[in-house]
Amino acid sequence: MTVTITDIIVRDVRFPTSASKAGSDAMNPDPDYSASYVVLKTDGELRGHGLTFTNGRGNELCVAAIEALKPHVLGQKLESIVDDFGRFWNDVVSDSQLRWVGPEKGVIHLATGALVNAVWDLYARAARKPLWKLLADMSPQQLVSCIPFKYIADALTPEEAFEILRRHESTKPEREQEMLKSGYPAYTTSAGWLGYSDEQVRELVRAGLAQGWTHFKMKVGRNLAEDARRARLIREEIGWQRKLMMDANQFWDVEQAIVWMKALAEFKPYWIEEPTSPDDVLGHATIAKALAPIGIATGEACQNRVMFKQLLQANAISFCQIDSCRLGGVNEVPAALLMAP
């Protein structure tokens, strides 16, 4: 079946601030959850959907960036794209004019992710599979052909990626069944936002426990005494056998992060997430060395595979938290995953 992309609709979707239940993090006291949403129309009934999270006025910039990238997708045949998905991805990120407002970072890369993920969604719908199943069913050769290796070949070559996938291919059915049966391990942040009253925190933690959650994350960074008090409260509810993680959302300088987290170490945090600037690779490495065995997690604002490469090469993080709405779509995600030890 031939599918041609005939139109691209871009929407600025805004969610009310009340969706956060008056909670916040240290960096964003008034979070505004919004998204730039893409719909690919075709010459048939199929549609492809993609989005990237921005916030408020940032949506306007992202929508404009998506509009600028549309010529790389509009009018293309889906079959031509998926026959050489790696070439298609490279064409989108290599626009010689738009690279000046990147390259492969910032609002232009967010827009790339929204468009590319909409194409993947269209591909999955055409194949009558959920996206995860489409990817799981790909051969190592097919998946490797989609991945951008430019700038990361010193850490991961196509041959090395192929060998990793080939080596684990025989256990794929077993792992797929495990995921279908048990799901993928996850944590909740629902009780951990700043600004909640003690009663709200206890209520939300207890609700999480009743739902079976074993890993809880709290926001920290604005007031050390308050962070310690809230951590103590959460530990009283979840005990010491469950995991407690902390997230500073890029709020601290390097030395401040070390001092602050050493003060909170008594609560046995499993990790501290985004302790400093997401671009400060060596700063993360310094923090990681000083705070071990507390893990360092980052990735939510990591803008591309090159940053992940450096963080991993420098032993700066122990938890690689890829945000699929921040990277340049599905193609770039396995590049970071396969570099992780």
Side-chain angles (χ1 to χ4, degrees), residues 3 78 154 196 200 229 240 260 308 338:
V3 177
L78 179 62
D154 56 318
Y196 286 176
Q200 280 180 294
R229 188 183 61 77
W240 295 92
W260 204 291
F308 276 115
L338 290 167

Side-chain angles (χ1 to χ4, degrees), residues 14-316:
R14 314 245 179 146
F15 306 103
T17 305
S18 59
S20 67
K21 299 181 182 177
S24 71
D25 58 46
M27 184 63 77
N28 305 287
D30 296 306
D32 180 2
Y33 300 103
S34 310
S36 299
Y37 198 89
V38 174
V39 181
L40 303 182
K41 292 188 174 183
T42 70
D43 53 355
E45 297 297 321
L46 287 175
R47 299 288 185 269
H49 299 258
L51 62 82
T52 188
F53 285 110
T54 46
N55 70 332
R57 289 168 300 180
N59 270 20
E60 299 165 16
L61 296 174
C62 198
V63 166
I66 294 170
E67 292 285 349
L69 287 168
K70 280 167 60 171
H72 293 285
V73 182
L74 193 60
Q76 290 229 38
K77 295 186 184 302
L78 179 62
E79 287 79 0
S80 298
I81 292 174
V82 302
D83 280 348
D84 195 351
F85 223 136
R87 176 204 56 78
F88 166 76
W89 191 90
N90 189 62
D91 286 348
V92 175
V93 302
S94 298
D95 186 303
S96 62
Q97 299 296 314
L98 297 179
R99 278 182 65 81
W100 284 101
V101 288
E104 298 182 40
K105 59 187 175 183
V107 70
I108 199 68
H109 212 47
L110 292 171
T112 297
L115 269 173
V116 167
N117 285 343
V119 174
W120 276 97
D121 183 64
L122 182 63
Y123 182 15
R125 291 171 188 271
R128 298 179 181 273
K129 297 178 181 181
L131 179 57
W132 72 266
K133 181 62 172 169
L134 177 73
L135 290 163
D137 287 347
M138 283 185 167
S139 69
Q141 296 95 324
Q142 287 176 305
L143 190 54
V144 168
S145 73
C146 298
I147 298 171
F149 289 94
K150 188 176 179 65
Y151 306 133
I152 64 168
D154 56 318
L156 180 74
T157 65
E159 294 76 19
E160 289 167 336
F162 172 80
E163 178 56 27
I164 293 170
L165 294 168
R166 185 205 61 77
R167 189 166 65 245
H168 294 286
E169 192 171 20
S170 63
T171 62
K172 191 190 296 186
E174 176 185 334
R175 288 180 282 115
E176 184 176 319
Q177 287 304 310
E178 180 184 352
M179 292 297 100
L180 289 170
K181 179 182 177 182
S182 305
Y184 198 83
Y187 62 83
T188 179
T189 319
S190 62
W193 294 88
L194 300 181
Y196 286 176
S197 67
D198 288 359
E199 292 74 18
Q200 280 180 294
V201 173
R202 289 191 188 277
E203 178 184 337
L204 291 167
V205 169
R206 289 171 184 175
L209 291 169
Q211 293 166 1
W213 292 99
T214 58
H215 293 58
F216 294 78
K217 191 173 79 174
M218 60 179 289
K219 302 290 185 176
V220 297
R222 202 180 297 167
N223 182 295
L224 180 55
E226 279 291 298
D227 289 345
R229 188 183 61 77
R230 291 166 57 250
R232 186 172 294 107
L233 186 156
I234 293 173
R235 274 295 181 200
E236 287 174 2
E237 295 293 333
I238 70 172
W240 295 92
Q241 75 277 21
R242 298 182 180 89
K243 293 286 193 298
L244 174 63
M245 293 89 82
M246 297 179 178
D247 183 357
N249 287 105
Q250 316 155 30
F251 195 66
W252 299 317
D253 286 336
V254 172
E255 289 303 319
Q256 186 183 15
I258 294 169
V259 170
W260 204 291
M261 286 309 300
K262 283 186 174 181
L264 295 175
E266 65 175 292
F267 302 106
K268 298 192 183 304
Y270 190 42
W271 75 52
I272 175 60
E273 183 176 337
E274 291 195 313
T276 191
S277 165
D279 297 336
D280 189 354
V281 175
L282 297 182
H284 276 85
T286 298
I287 295 168
K289 185 176 180 179
L291 293 184
I294 298 172
I296 307 301
T298 197
E300 180 180 328
C302 191
Q303 52 203 343
N304 55 48
R305 66 202 178 283
V306 184
M307 291 300 302
F308 276 115
K309 178 189 77 170
Q310 295 175 75
L311 288 163
L312 292 164
Q313 285 177 327
N315 295 315

